[in-house]
């Protein structure tokens, strides 16, 4: 644990580069924390949390604005009869839901007329880019993308069947983040610039415009995740009994120790007392439904305060994508440098867990991730596990798909 006088809290063990990123962010923040699944990111580490005084960090929220998790508990039970149909369900999920870069939602009931497309917040997009961005966002709403984004089907300890999804605001959020990163460095919208932290004051027009579009991207991500999760539940033939839903790349206005601050969570899940969250492991590990810790006398603990009422968003990487999968020539597919994970290693792990996998690359193999129970143990005292979810089906984009919008 980094000394408390620095107003930094660290959960779990981390490498020097990740801790250095946190120290750098904390030098500009009121307080900061690092969750146990943390690893190196762009400027701010993944798993990082930072509180600012009436300012927001564009690069802190990140390029995949409002990336998050949603889980639906259905009225279905995991039975031998349902188990026999899992391969068919996996194929249908892969066919009906759009995975991969730049994909459009092909479904007849795609939410193209969602009210968010009429929001006044679109006026914060420069006029020359507004119509094209709205058109792209409309086409992509309810698509999952690639990278570590997924659709899973689980069974809990009572054999209740759950659907879980993980993705964010797709090309819409990426364009907004890139645009304001450029504007904050004095460049034009659409110009590519270095990933640098510039804090936007929320009392200034630029900060207010970013905040409005960040919030709209949050609404967009919520709508997309809920559409996909409900679509998959309908494929299974189940009805929705409860929904657990959270962003983990976002900024919120909150009160901490009597002070109003802007809290940026980059790969970290809000975990106020009693607040529920769905946290995934990897394609071959259990996931969990948790809630922010609640003490018998309803007192808030020092650990909860230190975490800025946050917890992990997943298991956390221990290998970069290149370390796990190696390097390839994207045109020819030729292996330029082998990675640490082979197809046989990944397939043996997934088969050993009896998971039906569709898609997924070596960079997403369980070998590339920490084990979720370990990172949750490091967060003990901040969250409580309500359900453990055993994966039955995992559907991701196919291997070797590049996605510029993944987190």
């Amino acid at each position: 644990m980094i000394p408390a006088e620095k107003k930094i809290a660290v959960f779990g063990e981390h490498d020097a580069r990740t801790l250095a990123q946190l120290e750098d962010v904390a030098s500009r923040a009121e307080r900061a924390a690092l969750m146990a699944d943390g690893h190196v990111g762009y400027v701010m580490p993944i798993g990082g949390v930072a509180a600012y005084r009436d300012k927001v960090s564009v690069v802190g929220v990140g390029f995949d604005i409002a990336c998050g998790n949603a889980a639906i508990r259905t009225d279905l039970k995991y039975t031998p009869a349902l188990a026999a149909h899992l391969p068919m369900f996996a194929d249908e999920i892969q066919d009906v839901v759009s995975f991969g870069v730049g994909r459009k939602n092909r479904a007849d009931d795609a939410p193209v007329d969602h009210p968010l497309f009429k929001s006044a917040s679109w006026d914060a997009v420069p006029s020359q880019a507004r119509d094209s961005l709205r058109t792209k966002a409309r086409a992509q709403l309810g698509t999952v993308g690639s990278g570590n984004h997924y659709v899973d089907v689980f069974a809990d300890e009572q054999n209740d069947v759950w659907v879980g999804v993980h993705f964010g605001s797709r090309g819409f959020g990426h364009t907004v983040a890139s645009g304001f990163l450029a504007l904050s460095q004095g460049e034009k919208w659409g110009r590519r610039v270095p990933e640098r932290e510039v804090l936007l004051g929320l009392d200034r027009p630029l900060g207010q415009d970013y905040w409005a579009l960040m919030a709209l991207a949050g609404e967009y991500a919520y709508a997309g995740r809920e559409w996909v999760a409900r679509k998959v539940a309908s494929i299974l033939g189940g009805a929705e009994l409860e929904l657990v839903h959270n962003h983990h790349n976002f900024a919120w206005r909150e009160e901490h120790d009597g002070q109003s601050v802007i809290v940026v969570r980059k790969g970290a899940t809000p975990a106020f007392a009693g607040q529920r969250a769905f946290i995934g492991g990897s394609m071959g590990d259990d996931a969990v439904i948790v809630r922010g810790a609640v003490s018998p006398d309803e007192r808030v603990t020092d650990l909860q305060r230190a975490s800025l009422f946050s917890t992990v968003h997943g298991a956390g990487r221990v290998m970069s994508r290149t370390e796990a999968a190696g390097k390839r020539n994207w045109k020819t597919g030729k292996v330029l440098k082998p990675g640490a994970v082979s197809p046989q290693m990944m397939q043996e792990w997934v088969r050993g867990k009896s998971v039906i996998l569709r898609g997924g690359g070596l960079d997403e193999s369980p070998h590339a991730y920490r084990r979720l129970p370990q990172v949750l143990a490091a967060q003990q005292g901040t969250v409580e596990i309500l359900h453990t979810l055993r994966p039955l089906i995992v559907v991701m984009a196919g291997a070797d798909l590049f996605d510029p919008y993944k987190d």
Side-chain angles (χ1 to χ4, degrees):
M1 183 76 74
I2 294 175
E5 61 266 25
K6 290 191 175 183
K7 295 184 179 180
I8 300 176
V10 177
F11 295 82
E13 300 295 325
H14 303 276
D15 61 39
R17 289 177 61 212
T18 304
L19 293 174
Q21 279 196 326
L22 182 71
E23 288 269 17
D24 176 60
V25 168
S27 70
R28 296 179 291 276
E30 300 291 313
R31 292 172 57 187
L34 181 64
M35 303 301 102
D37 61 338
H39 56 90
V40 170
Y42 289 114
V43 181
M44 183 172 180
I46 309 301
V49 185
Y52 301 94
R53 186 73 65 89
D54 212 32
K55 296 177 181 178
V56 64
S57 168
V58 175
V59 77
V61 173
F63 290 99
D64 195 0
I65 298 174
C67 189
N69 294 337
I72 286 176
R73 181 170 65 89
T74 74
D75 62 350
L76 298 172
K77 288 287 186 180
Y78 180 59
T79 63
L82 186 141
H85 288 89
L86 290 180
M88 178 189 70
F89 289 142
D91 290 339
E92 189 171 357
I93 292 167
Q94 188 179 44
D95 182 60
V96 171
V97 178
S98 294
F99 295 84
V101 59
R103 298 292 297 278
K104 297 180 180 180
N105 191 333
R106 307 181 307 265
D108 292 340
D109 59 342
V112 294
D113 293 323
H114 194 284
L116 71 86
F117 292 112
K118 297 179 180 177
S119 171
S121 295
W122 288 98
D123 291 343
V125 179
S127 58
Q128 72 275 14
R130 190 177 306 145
D131 289 344
S132 61
L133 180 56
R134 183 154 32 194
T135 297
K136 177 168 67 174
R138 196 185 299 272
Q140 290 186 346
L141 183 57
T143 65
V144 176
S146 62
N148 59 353
H149 296 154
Y150 59 75
V151 172
D152 287 1
V153 177
F154 303 96
D156 69 13
E157 59 283 327
Q158 301 299 321
N159 281 327
D160 289 335
V161 173
W162 293 70
V163 174
V165 302
H166 169 222
F167 60 95
S169 53
R170 305 301 296 125
F172 172 41
H174 189 278
T175 301
V176 168
S178 300
F180 279 90
L181 199 60
L183 294 175
S184 69
Q185 295 181 36
E187 297 289 348
K188 293 181 179 180
W189 179 281
R191 180 73 58 84
R192 184 167 183 175
V193 297
E195 291 82 15
R196 295 174 182 158
E197 183 171 63
V198 177
L199 299 176
L200 302 182
L202 297 185
D203 59 344
R204 302 293 180 88
L206 190 62
Q208 292 167 356
D209 285 348
Y210 173 77
W211 190 265
L213 286 171
M214 182 200 71
L216 186 62
E219 188 178 349
Y220 181 92
Y222 261 86
R225 288 192 292 265
E226 290 176 9
W227 184 89
V228 171
R230 287 168 177 148
K231 173 62 74 174
V232 173
S234 71
I235 289 172
L236 300 176
E240 178 181 335
L241 296 183
E242 68 175 298
L243 171 69
V244 180
H245 203 169
N246 310 86
H247 298 317
H248 51 235
N249 283 9
F250 208 63
W252 292 262
R253 188 181 294 277
E254 298 173 358
E255 185 171 307
H256 291 263
D257 296 329
Q259 182 180 1
S260 177
V261 289
I262 302 301
V263 176
V264 173
R265 294 183 176 89
K266 185 177 187 178
T269 306
F272 288 90
Q275 184 177 12
R276 297 179 304 158
F278 161 53
I279 299 172
S282 69
M283 66 169 69
D285 282 322
D286 293 347
V288 291
I289 303 294
V290 301
R291 70 173 183 178
V294 179
S295 64
D297 57 4
E298 298 185 354
R299 293 180 62 185
V300 173
T301 68
D302 290 341
L303 277 177
Q304 288 173 293
R305 290 192 183 93
S307 72
L308 289 164
F309 297 91
S310 308
T311 193
V312 298
H313 79 307
R317 300 191 74 94
V318 291
M319 295 183 198
S320 71
R321 298 182 185 280
T322 302
E323 287 172 333
K327 287 186 178 181
R328 291 192 179 200
N329 182 307
W330 289 103
K331 292 183 179 179
T332 66
K334 181 181 178 181
V335 176
L336 303 177
K337 180 181 179 182
V341 182
S342 69
Q344 182 181 5
M345 289 167 62
M346 186 177 83
Q347 290 161 10
E348 286 180 351
W349 185 304
V350 173
R351 279 199 301 265
K353 293 289 186 177
S354 299
V355 173
I356 296 172
L357 175 65
R358 298 290 184 268
L362 297 181
D363 57 340
E364 289 305 315
S365 173
H367 302 83
Y369 286 87
R370 295 182 175 96
R371 305 282 67 83
L372 186 58
Q374 295 174 1
V375 298
L376 288 170
Q379 301 279 156
Q380 189 171 4
T382 63
V383 290
E384 304 164 345
I385 297 174
L386 300 178
H387 297 287
T388 299
L389 310 181
R390 177 169 60 89
L392 307 173
I393 296 172
V394 175
V395 186
M396 308 178 77
D400 301 332
L401 279 178
F402 172 71
D403 183 357
Y405 309 136
K406 65 177 179 275
D407 60 356

